[in-house]
Amino acid sequence: MRPDRDFFFRLADAAKAETLPRFRSGLSVVNKEKAGFDPVTEGDQAAEIAIRTLIEAEFPTHGILGEEHENIRMDSDHLWVIDPIDGTRAFISGVPVWGTLIGFQEKGRSVMGLMEQPFTGERYYADGERSWYSGPDGERQNQVRDCGSLENAILFTTSPHLFKDWEVERFQAVQDKVKLFRYGVDCYAYCLLAAGHVDLVIETVLKPYDVGALIPIIEQAGGIITTWDGGRPEAGGSIIAAGSRAVHAQAMDMLKRG
């Protein structure tokens, strides 16, 4: 039995109670990466615990894959995929494009998901059939748009500096082709795509919890999200999402390793 919207929203509320009071509060940051900068805050850790506590009470046989705490019951047919603060760099910088990601998989396939941006009061939610937006300006169903071709597309990526080796040239080729490109919007970019505001998101080095909740939000809005070689995106890696299959195919062809 699948969880319902009310339960997803309870999870989001529990996470919000931990993240929002800490946003723009000057909280301490811990670096998880010795050779670089991979920040985590007490907000990340507390929000994930709050989400896990509710899931364990309501669905004790379900598995949980999360960024900040140990994965459990990974062999379960029902798996929750959690990123309590996707976009921690934005979070610690005071920029409201971070979000709480809560995804739900059945037998390895992402079928439901939620992204909440607590500061703006926006939620993007996929119920298993349709994708929805709710926020200060009301509630409506998400629907991707078809911009026609790559030349008309708006492209987002978190940072061009994340691309390495041959990926740099391939991404640059796509970026040179589109009408407009923007950086630094994290999970919010995928939701803007689902809502029909942008056309293409291209990223690399993603983890399963970076995309688990976003896959159904895009697919159930009529969009397409895959790996760069066209595979399923649940495991993360190099990811491309688009509002139309034609634009997806054009971009994917340019991203092929030559």
Side-chain angles (χ1 to χ4, degrees), residues 162-197:
L162 294 174
F163 299 105
K164 302 297 182 185
D165 303 323
W166 64 274
E167 295 177 340
V168 176
E169 180 184 353
R170 297 294 84 213
F171 174 77
Q172 186 67 51
V174 178
Q175 180 176 277
D176 290 345
K177 192 85 169 176
V178 301
K179 178 174 69 175
L180 172 67
F181 57 86
R182 301 290 294 169
Y183 300 150
V185 193
D186 300 297
C187 59
Y188 200 74
Y190 293 87
C191 294
L192 291 176
L193 188 147
H197 303 301

Side-chain angles (χ1 to χ4, degrees), residues 5 19 22 31 88 99 115 117 125 135 143 147 160 172 213 216 257-258:
R5 171 181 164 137
T19 59
R22 293 177 167 97
N31 183 16
T88 302
M115 189 290 278
Q117 210 310 300
Y125 170 65
Q143 179 63 50
C147 67
Q172 186 67 51
R257 187 171 186 173

Side-chain angles (χ1 to χ4, degrees), residues 5-228:
R5 171 181 164 137
D6 288 345
F7 185 68
F8 267 91
F9 279 25
R10 281 175 57 202
L11 296 178
D13 287 339
K16 178 179 179 177
E18 300 294 345
T19 59
L20 189 55
R22 293 177 167 97
F23 183 52
R24 298 181 177 173
S25 68
L27 79 172
S28 62
V29 178
V30 175
N31 183 16
K32 296 188 292 184
E33 187 175 320
K34 291 182 179 178
F37 184 59
D38 185 11
V40 62
T41 71
E42 62 183 29
D44 296 80
Q45 296 167 336
E48 185 168 319
I49 289 172
I51 293 168
R52 284 171 172 262
T53 299
L54 289 175
I55 293 172
E56 290 271 38
E58 191 78 15
F59 299 102
T61 64
H62 288 188
I64 302 176
L65 184 160
E67 180 176 15
E68 305 302 340
H69 299 280
E70 184 180 0
N71 299 331
I72 57 173
R73 293 185 288 274
M74 293 293 289
D75 58 346
S76 173
D77 287 344
H78 301 95
L79 180 68
W80 294 86
V81 183
I82 305 164
D83 192 345
I85 300 179
D86 180 84
T88 302
R89 289 172 175 81
F91 183 84
I92 65 177
S93 304
V95 184
V97 294
W98 54 277
T100 294
L101 299 179
I102 305 169
F104 181 72
Q105 294 182 4
E106 288 179 343
K107 297 182 178 180
R109 186 91 172 208
S110 295
V111 293
M112 302 178 76
L114 179 144
M115 189 290 278
E116 174 173 61
Q117 210 310 300
F119 188 78
T120 63
E122 295 175 283
R123 285 178 178 172
Y124 293 81
Y125 170 65
D127 64 11
E129 296 181 1
R130 293 180 293 275
S131 179
W132 300 92
Y133 164 87
S134 61
D137 53 344
E139 182 172 327
R140 57 186 174 271
Q141 189 173 336
N142 289 318
Q143 179 63 50
V144 297
R145 70 182 182 190
D146 185 353
C147 67
S149 67
L150 200 57
E151 291 83 354
N152 297 323
I154 296 175
L155 165 68
F156 275 47
T157 194
T158 294
S159 171
H161 299 109
L162 294 174
F163 299 105
K164 302 297 182 185
D165 303 323
W166 64 274
E167 295 177 340
V168 176
E169 180 184 353
R170 297 294 84 213
F171 174 77
Q172 186 67 51
V174 178
Q175 180 176 277
D176 290 345
K177 192 85 169 176
V178 301
K179 178 174 69 175
L180 172 67
F181 57 86
R182 301 290 294 169
Y183 300 150
V185 193
D186 300 297
C187 59
Y188 200 74
Y190 293 87
C191 294
L192 291 176
L193 188 147
H197 303 301
V198 306
D199 308 291
L200 191 60
V201 181
I202 297 175
E203 304 216 86
T204 191
V205 297
L206 296 188
K207 304 295 185 184
Y209 46 74
D210 292 321
V211 293
L214 299 168
I215 294 166
I217 291 173
I218 289 173
E219 292 182 336
Q220 291 166 32
I224 179 170
I225 177 169
T226 69
T227 57
W228 285 18

